[in-house]
C-alpha cells in the first residue's frame, strides 16, 4: 500500500480550495452578467414601448410633471421649515426655563466670549480716547 506524503496532501487541499473559489467566482460572476444583460434588454424594450406614448402624451405629461414637482417641492420645503421652527421654539423654551437643552453650554461659552471681547474693545477704545485727548491737549 502506498502512503500519501504530508506535503502532497496539503498541495492537493490548496488546489481543491483554489478550484472551488474559482468555480464559485465564475458562477456568481456569470449569473450577475446574465442578470445585467436581462436588465439592459428589459430596459431597452420598455423604452421602445414607452417612447411613443411619452411623445403622444408629452404636451400633457410635461406640464403635469412640472406642476407635481413644484407642489411636492413646496410641501417638502414648508414641512422642513415648519419642523425646524418648531424645534427652535422648543429649544428656546427649554433654554429660557433653565432645562439645559443640547448645545446650551456652547451657546453660553460663545456668549461669555463675546461679552469678554466687547469689554476688552470698550476698554481699548476708552484708553485710545484718553490718549487722543492728551495728544490734543499737548499739541495746543
Amino acid at each position: 500500500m502506498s502512503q500519501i506524503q504530508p506535503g502532497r496532501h496539503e498541495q492537493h487541499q490548496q488546489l481543491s480550495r483554489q478550484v472551488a473559489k474559482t468555480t464559485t467566482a465564475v458562477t456568481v460572476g456569470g449569473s450577475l452578467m446574465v442578470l445585467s444583460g436581462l436588465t439592459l434588454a428589459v430596459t431597452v424594450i420598455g423604452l421602445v414601448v414607452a417612447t411613443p406614448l411619452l411623445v403622444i402624451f408629452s404636451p400633457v405629461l410635461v406640464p403635469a410633471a412640472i406642476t407635481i414637482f413644484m407642489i411636492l417641492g413646496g410641501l417638502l420645503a414648508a414641512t422642513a421649515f415648519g419642523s425646524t421652527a418648531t424645534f427652535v421654539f422648543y429649544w428656546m423654551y427649554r433654554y429660557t426655563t433653565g432645562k439645559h437643552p443640547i448645545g446650551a453650554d456652547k451657546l453660553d461659552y460663545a456668549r461669555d466670549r463675546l461679552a469678554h471681547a466687547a469689554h476688552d474693545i470698550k476698554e481699548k477704545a476708552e484708553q485710545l480716547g484718553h490718549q487722543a485727548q492728551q495728544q490734543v491737549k499737548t499739541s495746543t
Side-chain angles (χ1 to χ4, degrees):
M1 291 227 177
S2 67
Q3 294 179 349
I4 299 177
Q5 298 172 348
R8 197 158 184 194
H9 183 63
E10 289 177 13
Q11 287 178 346
H12 181 56
Q13 283 182 340
Q14 287 179 351
L15 181 63
S16 61
R17 282 184 185 154
Q18 192 173 14
V19 168
K21 287 180 184 179
T22 304
T23 305
T24 304
V26 168
T27 304
V28 170
S31 299
L32 291 174
M33 289 296 288
V34 168
L35 285 174
S36 69
L38 286 173
T39 304
L40 178 64
V42 168
T43 302
V44 169
I45 290 171
L47 282 173
V48 167
V49 170
T51 300
L53 294 174
L54 290 174
V55 169
I56 291 170
F57 292 111
S58 67
V60 175
L61 292 178
V62 171
I66 291 171
T67 303
I68 289 172
F69 176 74
M70 290 179 68
I71 289 171
L72 290 177
L75 288 174
L76 181 66
T79 303
F81 293 145
S83 62
T84 302
T86 303
F87 176 75
V88 167
F89 285 135
Y90 175 71
W91 190 92
M92 288 173 31
Y93 170 75
R94 288 185 54 123
Y95 184 74
T96 55
T97 57
K99 295 184 180 166
H100 197 72
I102 296 172
D105 52 346
K106 290 182 181 179
L107 183 65
D108 292 337
Y109 177 72
R111 185 187 58 210
D112 291 342
R113 284 196 52 152
L114 284 173
H116 183 67
H119 182 70
D120 289 345
I121 290 172
K122 179 183 172 188
E123 286 181 357
K124 186 70 171 176
E126 287 176 354
Q127 187 180 38
L128 290 174
H130 290 303
Q131 286 177 357
Q133 284 179 352
Q134 288 177 358
Q135 285 180 356
V136 167
K137 287 181 183 179
T138 58
S139 65
T140 53

